[in-house]
């Protein structure tokens, strides 16, 4: 398959999946997935393995609470192979609602969050076979006020700013 048609195919598969998630449509989300999917939110270890567990994850932890209404997705890069795509993105939102897959047990804080994510999406045929979702949980916790960064090598929203502008100074190294 040529590179443009491979990209179009994988984009179409993943975009249909994301649209169903964002629309809060459990059955349509699951219809975009392979028969034996797995999902892992790495920092929280929340996800599902197989059709039953995957359905439970979506029904109890994601659909209806994926992100608050003001969520913005800013793609930094997307990489393709025959059976997966990898997104590097910045996700911004105001923590005005429960986000159980990302912040389990944390009540909305009303704080603005900007975090760097990496999402590895496996593709099997024309379905999503897996999602591995990684983000810097420490930077999120700093931004919502649950982690004091004093004396720690964590930055809060600075990580997203540095990704957008690699020329920003290193906050932990004084070149002078």
């Amino acid at each position: 398959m040529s590179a443009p048609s491979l990209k179009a195919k994988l984009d179409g598969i993943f975009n249909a999946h994301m649209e169903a998630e964002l629309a809060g449509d459990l059955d349509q989300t699951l219809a975009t997935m392979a028969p034996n999917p797995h999902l892992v939110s790495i920092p929280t270890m929340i996800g599902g393995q197989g059709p039953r567990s995957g359905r439970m994850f979506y029904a109890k932890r994601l659909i209806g609470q994926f992100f608050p209404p003001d969520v913005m997705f800013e793609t930094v890069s997307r990489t393709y192979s025959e059976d997966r795509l990898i997104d590097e993105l910045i996700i911004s939102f105001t923590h005005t609602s429960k986000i159980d897959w990302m912040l389990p047990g944390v009540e909305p804080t009303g704080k603005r969050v900007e975090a760097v994510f990496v999402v590895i999406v496996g593709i099997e045929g024309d379905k999503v076979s897996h999602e591995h979702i990684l983000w810097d949980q420490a930077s999120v916790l700093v931004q919502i006020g649950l982690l004091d960064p004093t004396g720690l090598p964590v930055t809060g929203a600075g990580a997203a700013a540095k990704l957008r502008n690699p020329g920003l100074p290193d906050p932990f190294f004084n070149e002078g």
Side-chain angles (χ1 to χ4, degrees):
M1 186 177 298
S2 71
S5 59
L6 173 66
K7 288 179 181 181
K9 175 189 173 191
L10 297 180
D11 284 343
I13 292 166
F14 189 54
N15 290 344
H17 178 73
M18 286 295 297
E19 287 169 14
E21 284 182 349
L22 288 167
D25 188 329
L26 175 61
D27 290 330
Q28 186 58 40
T29 298
L30 295 173
T32 67
M33 302 189 77
N36 191 32
H38 75 268
L39 311 118
V40 183
S41 303
I42 304 297
T44 59
M45 296 176 42
I46 291 173
Q49 168 66 47
R52 184 167 182 244
S53 180
R55 175 177 276 281
M56 187 179 308
F57 164 73
Y58 278 105
K60 302 286 184 189
R61 296 206 185 249
L62 193 109
I63 298 296
Q65 57 171 313
F66 183 31
F67 278 110
D70 70 344
V71 67
M72 299 287 293
F73 296 89
E74 179 184 338
T75 300
V76 175
S77 70
R78 179 171 274 184
T79 304
Y80 301 87
S81 76
E82 289 292 325
D83 61 353
R84 73 188 56 199
L85 63 84
I86 302 167
D87 271 348
E88 176 185 28
L89 61 156
I90 297 169
I91 301 177
S92 306
F93 59 91
T94 306
H95 186 216
T96 56
S97 61
K98 185 176 175 183
I99 311 173
D100 202 37
W101 63 273
M102 182 180 180
L103 295 164
V106 177
E107 292 300 317
T109 61
K111 306 276 181 148
R112 189 77 183 146
V113 175
E114 191 169 71
V116 175
F117 280 72
V118 175
V119 180
I120 302 162
V121 182
I123 305 293
E124 186 178 296
D126 63 349
K127 305 283 185 183
V128 172
S129 63
H130 69 266
E131 288 182 86
H132 301 162
I133 305 164
L134 300 97
W135 68 93
D136 179 0
Q137 186 75 323
S139 74
V140 171
L141 296 175
V142 165
Q143 292 173 74
I144 64 172
L146 292 182
L147 180 64
D148 179 357
T150 305
L152 298 174
V154 297
T155 62
K162 181 77 169 181
L163 184 58
R164 281 189 192 102
N165 179 2
L168 289 176
D170 179 335
F172 303 103
F173 180 72
N174 184 348
E175 292 183 33

